[in-house]
Amino acid sequence: MAKQQCERSRRAFVGAAIAGIPASLLLRTAAASDRMTRLQAEYQDTPNGIYSCRLCTLFVAPDGCKVVEGAISKDGWCKAFAAVD
Ligand code: SF4
């Protein structure tokens, strides 16, 4: 009898652990994609007038951005543009 209860609680523990894995993976994925997609940022490969990524405080040389995913052009622009003082 005690052995059956032990087996049930072990199964419950293993089931709960397996059910918890996808949730932790989802949380990790959400944390990894804190940046906007190019579409969300309305990114374009061309400047917006005199404003471009090369003048933005969020630009990470040579082709990165702190808030937009993927490679970007220093001549690009998006709606999150933040001008260098
Ligand atoms: S303009 Fe947009 S894409 Fe370009 S560096 Fe700034 S935040 Fe990033």
Side-chain angles (χ1 to χ4, degrees), residues 15-79:
I18 290 171
I21 289 171
S24 64
L25 285 176
L26 285 175
L27 288 173
R28 190 177 301 165
T29 301
S33 61
D34 282 345
R35 292 186 288 171
M36 293 183 282
T37 64
R38 292 160 60 117
L39 188 63
Q40 288 170 328
E42 298 175 23
Y43 173 81
Q44 59 190 44
D45 281 325
T46 55
N48 180 10
I50 62 169
Y51 303 112
S52 64
C53 294
R54 75 175 72 219
L55 301 174
C56 179
T57 57
L58 302 170
F59 180 65
V60 181
D63 62 354
C65 174
K66 293 178 183 174
V67 297
V68 177
E69 293 177 344
I72 61 165
S73 167
K74 61 186 175 192
D75 296 321
W77 177 88
C78 86
K79 69 180 183 181

